[in-house]
C-alpha cells in the first residue's frame, strides 16, 4: 500500500504517521518491547489508546509497522541494473549507515522478544521477512533468467541467511555496527561467489 | 587449560564446576543477564559469594566460562580429516542439536546484554569468539596449505560471519532452531563454494 493510501484509510496524515512511528521506535529503544505499553505510546504521541488500537490492532502490529516504515533500504523494486552484482551494489548504495546501526540495535532487542511473543514473531514474518524475501527472490530470478545464476544453485535458498547473517554478526564479531561498505565487501567475497557469479 | 588444571587451581572438583556452570546457565535462561546476580548464583549453588568472586572474578567472567564449558562443539583440534569439506562435516557431526538450540536461545539473550555491558562483551570476545576464530583459522590454513583454498581468497576473512550468521538467522528466517543438518547443507551450499572448494 502506498503512503497516500494508508493515510486515506487511516485518516491521519503521512507526517503524523511518520511522527508516531518514530515515537514508537524511540520508546522501543528506551524501554524494550516487553515494557513498551500502548498507554506509553498514547501518552508520548498524544493519541488516544482507542485510536491506536483501531488503527493498528495491537502492540505487535504497531511495532512492526514502525520498523517497516524505517527500514534502511526502501524501493527495492526500482532496482534493475542488468546484473546481479550491479543490483546488490545499488541496494547497498541506497542503505543508510546510521539507519542500519539503529535498526541493528532494535533487531537485537526484538530477537529475544520475538521468541517470547509469538504474535510479534508472526507479524514480523508476514510484514517484514516475507516481503523482503519476495523482493530478493525477484531480483535473484532475474539473475537466473539472464543466465548469471544456475536455476538449481543450492546457495539460492540461503541468500537471506547470508545477508541477514552478515548484518547481525558484524556487531559481535567485529565490534562495530554493519555498514553499507562492509556488506558490499561481503556480497563480493561471499554472496556472489556462493551463487557462482564472477565478481570481476 | 585442561579441566584437571582448572580444578587444581580452583580446588573444586570438575563435577562441582560443571554443576555450578549448569546452574548459572539455568539462571540465565530463567531471568536473563541483567537480573542474574551473584547472590542468586550463590543461593542456587549453595556457594559463598566470596568463593564465586575469588574463583571467577565477577558475573561476566562466570557467565562466559559457563557458556564456554557447554559450547556445542568441543575438541576442534582433534579434527583433521585431510579435506576442508571433511573437516567441516566432522565438526557438524560432533555438534549436538539440543545443545545448539539451548545455546542459540542464550546467545539471543546475551546479544542485547553485550551491548549494554562492555565487560561481558570483552570477556565473550576473548574467551569464546577469539579462541573459536583461532581454531577455525588453523583448519582453514591447512586447506590453504593443501591448495584447496587460494591464500588470497576474500571469503577467508568472512568464515565466522557465514557460520555464526547461519546459526543465528535460522530461528528468525525458518522459524526453527539451527541443527547440524541445516548447518551442513549451508556449508555445502554457501561456505565451500564461497571459498572456491568444489562440493563433490
Amino acid at each position: 500500500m502506498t503512503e497516500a493510501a494508508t493515510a486515506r484509510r487511516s485518516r491521519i496524515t503521512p507526517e503524523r504517521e511518520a511522527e508516531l512511528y518514530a515515537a514508537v521506535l524511540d520508546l522501543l529503544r528506551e524501554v524494550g518491547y516487553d515494557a513498551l505499553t500502548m498507554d506509553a505510546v498514547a501518552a508520548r504521541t498524544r493519541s488516544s489508546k482507542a485510536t491506536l488500537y483501531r488503527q493498528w490492532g495491537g502492540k505487535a502490529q504497531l511495532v512492526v509497522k514502525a520498523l517497516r516504515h524505517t527500514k534502511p533500504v526502501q524501493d527495492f523494486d526500482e532496482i534493475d541494473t542488468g546484473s546481479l552484482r550491479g543490483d546488490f551494489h545499488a541496494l547497498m548504495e541506497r542503505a543508510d549507515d546510521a539507519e542500519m546501526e539503529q535498526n541493528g540495535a532494535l533487531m537485537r532487542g526484538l530477537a529475544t522478544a520475538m521468541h517470547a511473543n509469538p504474535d510479534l514473531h508472526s507479524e514480523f514474518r508476514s510484514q517484514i521477512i516475507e516481503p523482503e524475501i519476495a523482493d530478493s527472490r525477484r531480483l535473484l530470478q532475474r539473475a537466473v533468467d539472464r543466465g548469471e545464476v544456475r536455476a538449481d544453485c543450492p546457495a539460492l535458498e540461503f541468500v537471506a541467511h547470508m545477508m541477514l547473517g552478515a548484518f547481525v554478526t558484524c556487531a559481535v564479531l567485529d565490534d562495530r555496527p554493519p555498514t553499507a561498505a562492509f556488506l558490499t565487501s561481503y556480497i563480493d567475497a561471499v554472496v556472489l561467489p556462493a551463487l557462482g557469479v564472477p565478481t570481476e
Side-chain angles (χ1 to χ4, degrees), chain A:
Chain A
M1 208 183 313
T2 64
E3 288 206 350
T6 309
R8 220 167 23 247
R9 180 179 58 101
S10 61
R11 281 172 234 132
I12 63 171
T13 65
E15 292 73 24
R16 175 73 179 133
E17 202 183 355
E19 193 182 286
L20 206 136
Y21 291 150
V24 169
L25 296 184
D26 283 344
L27 271 171
L28 198 56
R29 272 185 287 267
E30 289 165 28
V31 303
Y33 184 79
D34 289 329
L36 184 146
T37 63
M38 292 298 256
D39 279 312
V41 174
R44 177 74 64 101
T45 60
R46 287 186 220 100
S47 323
S48 78
K49 255 171 71 176
T51 304
L52 296 178
Y53 277 107
R54 193 175 55 240
Q55 192 66 40
W56 284 278
K59 179 167 108 168
Q61 290 91 327
L62 175 56
V63 164
V64 169
K65 263 285 165 57
L67 277 174
R68 193 179 165 165
H69 188 79
T70 56
K71 66 178 184 170
V73 180
Q74 305 276 359
D75 307 322
F76 219 103
D77 266 352
E78 289 170 16
I79 291 170
D80 188 2
T81 65
S83 79
L84 185 57
R85 182 168 194 244
D87 283 359
F88 275 133
H89 282 227
L91 270 176
M92 289 303 117
E93 277 156 27
R94 286 166 183 238
D96 179 302
D97 283 349
E99 280 182 13
M100 278 207 283
E101 179 166 2
Q102 292 199 328
N103 253 43
L106 285 171
M107 296 301 292
R108 271 192 298 281
L110 284 177
T112 310
M114 271 190 250
H115 284 266
N117 299 277
D119 59 331
L120 174 64
H121 195 172
S122 87
E123 196 66 23
F124 189 82
R125 284 187 72 76
S126 67
Q127 294 298 311
I128 296 191
I129 294 178
E130 283 165 14
E132 296 229 348
I133 287 180
D135 281 344
S136 120
R137 284 232 174 87
R138 277 193 295 276
L139 184 149
L140 292 165
Q141 186 57 47
R142 290 200 308 262
V144 170
D145 294 343
R146 282 188 300 256
E148 283 189 276
V149 178
R150 280 173 41 190
D152 63 354
C153 176
L156 278 169
E157 65 177 292
F158 295 114
V159 172
H161 299 85
M162 290 189 249
M163 293 299 301
L164 183 62
F167 183 83
V168 298
T169 57
C170 186
V172 76
L173 292 175
D174 306 311
D175 219 350
R176 61 173 186 201
T179 60
F182 167 80
L183 292 173
T184 303
S185 317
Y186 185 84
I187 285 166
D188 285 344
V190 171
V191 183
L192 294 171
L195 290 166
V197 177
T199 51
E200 301 309 304

